[in-house]
Amino acid sequence: MKKLLYIIAISTILVASGCSDYLDSENLYGKNLETFYKTPTDINEAMAGVYNAIYTSNVHSEEQIAANLMDNMMLGGGGPDDKSAKWVDNFEDPAEDTYRDMWIQSYNGISRANAIIEKTQDADFTTFFKTTEEADQFKKQAIGEALFMRAFFYFRLAKFFGGVPLIVSLDGSRTVGRSTYSETFAQIASDLKLAIETMPATSFPSIPTAMYGHANKWVAEAYLARVYLFYTGYMTNIEQKATTDLPLVGGAVLNATDLTSYLNDCINNSGHALVSDFRNLWPYSYVNKSAGKTVLPWAAANNLSWVGQDGKAPTFGTGNLETMFVQRFSFGDWSWSNGNIYTNRLCLFSAIRDNSMVPFGQGWGWCTINPKLWNNWSDLDPRKAGSIIQVGIAEQGTDSYAADKGDHETGFFNKKYTALQHPNAAGNNVGMFVQMYNWSNTDMQLMHAQDFIFMRFADVLLMHSEITKTPAGMNAVRARAGLGAVGYSLDAIKEERLHEFAFEGLHWFDLIRWGDVTTAFNDSFPVRNSGTDATYNVKYRAETKGLMPIPETEVRLSNGAYNQNPGW
């Protein structure tokens, strides 16, 4: 069975309580700040605890689900009982603590990263490695990785909440007030810059399989570009304070020339590359066969072959050179505490509601697709059918689709992240990943072990074009899709990012940073709500400036240190 890399291995040491997460100095196993962080095993376990903070209990606190629900290309969906999805989709807060798990887990991750950064500095690992150089490389990777993850969590908080409390040391005050937007991004940028300067420059093909999904120098360079574009765009288009500089702690700045240098390094030296066919990134292209019958005729007709995850292809081929940073998923069991948070709930919640077909299994039907995207997208672009499930189509395996099972029904669903199944040896339809990894629990709610991709090389190329205002990176992505070259323009970048990254949790943040969010929701169109004709329309609330509400419990616990975001 696939191992989940990011486990709560450090849970006996880390005790979490909202923003006031702290390190327990006395615990049952005799590990504390003085005895831990002394060996490579200690550091690896601590790092597992950092990555574990990505996972949240409340599904609305999952970044990718929250961002997709707010995207103008996706609808609330679900059934009549899925009111929270519709509220979020309509820019209403379902509950006073809708995003509290995101807040808590982000600060848990930050606290754990702080511990690694500080304690690893003075640790001596020379006795655990053959050479001093190997020990030094391990230390640099650990510190750099922790710096990256601290930036990752602060960036997540800043995108959703704006300026947030900055706690960057183990003894830092847990009652500090919110920093400004620029101060928060200065900390993010400084952490990423130092992570780049600290981590070894090991090309991706040389990174051990066990480190697949971990951050490295190349991931930090890519994220620094993403942070640069988001900050400069937000300040220019939302705050109306035009800038082309990303601040650093201490007053220095990074500009477009600096970011171009980082991206050039990533492009030329990382070892990452585009896979040959965009559709091979997604597990629907893994053409399983049972009793001699091809499961997905469309995939077979296009000679698709999934490049896989775990750092290698299912057939142990060259593997996936495009994926750079992911959230690993495994399975779960209802007997476990939080037994479903380690399965990919984006696949479950956005899968076709109350329809169990082959290869597409059933889910809750959230995030149905805006028909405008399908209608305005050229059929010549293979990413269209490679991203969107069209129901009632035999070659798509959806000819047996039963309509009117959900709300906001448009006939289109997310193909990148969805429930996948095929017949097993006994002829029963069982989850694809369950069969791949031989997991015993076949519950449709627990079977989604697909990685969620936070960063892939295509984004590096498109960010390079946007920052340099040159078309080379954009046209490389277009050429992969069989499309002709075009000249650079921001409108061309916008269209390319929409088509390349549809439903990957990026478009909502693109709308914000470009300032397009204020006009993106001005259309309406017919939908079916559980068999009843209806009209879908959403009104974006400009006074929120694209930010979500600070969890009310955190506002109360701060005793006046936090103020609520405008519009909430």
Side-chain angles (χ1 to χ4, degrees), residues 47 60 81 108 115-116 120 141 157 168 172 204 225 229 279 291 298 334 368-369 390 412 422 430 434 447 504 533 558:
M47 195 68 71
H60 282 297
D81 57 335
N108 287 345
I116 294 175
T120 307
Q141 174 63 27
L157 289 167
V168 293
F204 174 71
L229 285 169
R279 297 166 294 185
W298 169 80
W334 297 118
T368 53
I369 307 305
Q390 186 181 21
F412 302 109
H422 66 95
V430 178
V434 170
M447 70 182 197
E504 296 183 46
D533 289 333
S558 75

Side-chain angles (χ1 to χ4, degrees), residues 421-436:
Q421 63 181 6
H422 66 95
N424 63 10
N428 300 316
N429 290 341
V430 178
M432 179 186 120
F433 286 95
V434 170
Q435 295 188 60
M436 283 182 62

Side-chain angles (χ1 to χ4, degrees), residues 5-49:
L5 295 183
Y6 308 148
I7 58 175
I8 317 177
I10 199 69
S11 59
T12 58
I13 301 170
L14 293 160
V15 180
S17 179
C19 184
S20 60
D21 176 272
Y22 60 93
L23 284 160
D24 186 9
S25 60
E26 297 293 337
N27 65 73
L28 296 177
Y29 298 95
K31 293 182 177 181
N32 53 49
L33 286 174
E34 302 306 318
T35 63
F36 202 63
Y37 305 99
K38 302 296 186 183
T39 71
T41 298
D42 291 346
I43 301 304
N44 289 335
E45 289 182 355
M47 195 68 71

